Amino acid sequence: MRVNRILLSSALVVVALVIQVSVLARLHLPGAVPDLLLLTVLGLALVYGHVGGALVGFGAGLLADLAPPADHAAGRYALVLCVIGYLAGLVKPETGQLKSATGPMAVVVAAAVGSTLLYAGVGALVGDTAARHVGLGSLLFTAALYDLLLAPFVVPGIMALARRAENDPLAESASAAARTTDISSGWLSGGTGLKIGSQRNGLRVKAARARMARAGRIKGVKRL
């Protein structure tokens, strides 16, 4: 990943994690908790593609595993977000522009349901049965509902920031200035060469004419 991608992804993931832990987790909503971190990974994956989405998802999930008050095995949520980021990156539009909001909303619902199922499945493998006590059906419904309601306020902004960082206006202006400088310097050097050549030819002609005139004057003096 390029430096601008790493910096932007790190900043967005940290901000999303802080809001997730300090605000959303304390709302005590029925069922699941709105997953701002998941929406951030989805927004970046829809711009960066499957490889970038997997890397961002793994890093974001690992931070969530280590951030207090984490009560699960480290690496569990990193695996979930890595898979979700990879799969979301596969549906990245070729042109980078989305024609409608239907596709991203479908991706959000699928990611919310898929991440809940995958998280519960990994938990069952390591002996965590918390999803059974809460009810997997209610978790799936509330996770999809909360993330779908939160997505219009998060995913478009994340994608816009990622696209703006990808365009890198400073780099483009610098490269355009460099190209302009090269072209102008080429034209200037070519023009200078032509001027110098014409000046040299003109000086030579003037010198030849002066010698001929001087020779004519000398011959006239001799004849006299």
Side-chain angles (χ1 to χ4, degrees):
M1 296 180 70
R2 290 181 290 184
V3 176
N4 55 346
R5 287 189 178 187
I6 295 175
L7 294 177
L8 179 63
S9 302
S10 301
L12 293 176
V13 165
V14 170
V15 172
L17 182 59
V18 171
I19 297 176
Q20 179 82 30
V21 174
S22 60
V23 178
L24 298 179
R26 299 184 180 183
L27 294 178
H28 301 291
L29 297 174
V33 176
D35 200 340
L36 182 60
L37 199 61
L38 173 65
L39 297 178
T40 302
V41 172
L42 290 179
L44 294 174
L46 290 175
V47 177
Y48 295 157
H50 58 282
V51 176
L55 293 175
V56 172
F58 179 80
L62 189 60
L63 285 178
D65 289 331
L66 299 177
D71 56 352
H72 55 269
R76 180 177 170 183
Y77 203 46
L79 174 62
V80 172
L81 287 187
C82 180
V83 174
I84 295 298
Y86 180 84
L87 295 177
L90 292 177
V91 299
K92 170 191 173 183
E94 296 181 357
T95 59
Q97 299 292 335
L98 298 174
K99 298 181 179 180
S100 66
T102 305
M105 293 299 103
V107 171
V108 169
V109 173
V113 174
S115 61
T116 304
L117 288 175
L118 186 57
Y119 187 83
V122 175
L125 294 176
V126 297
D128 186 2
T129 59
R132 296 180 183 177
H133 301 291
V134 178
L136 185 59
S138 63
L139 281 178
L140 293 175
F141 176 76
T142 53
L145 178 62
Y146 296 155
D147 292 347
L148 189 60
L149 292 176
L150 188 60
F153 305 98
V154 178
V155 177
I158 297 294
M159 295 180 66
L161 289 175
R163 288 198 189 100
R164 186 173 182 179
E166 284 292 286
N167 292 333
D168 199 3
L170 294 178
E172 290 183 356
S173 61
S175 60
R179 290 194 298 268
T180 304
T181 304
D182 292 338
I183 294 173
S184 61
S185 62
W187 279 106
L188 288 175
S189 62
T192 305
L194 291 175
K195 288 180 180 179
I196 292 174
S198 61
Q199 289 176 357
R200 290 177 178 175
N201 293 331
L203 291 175
R204 291 176 181 175
V205 172
K206 289 180 180 180
R209 289 178 179 176
R211 286 196 297 269
M212 291 176 62
R214 191 181 305 111
R217 288 195 297 269
I218 293 173
K219 291 180 178 179
V221 171
K222 289 181 177 180
R223 289 176 182 176
L224 293 175

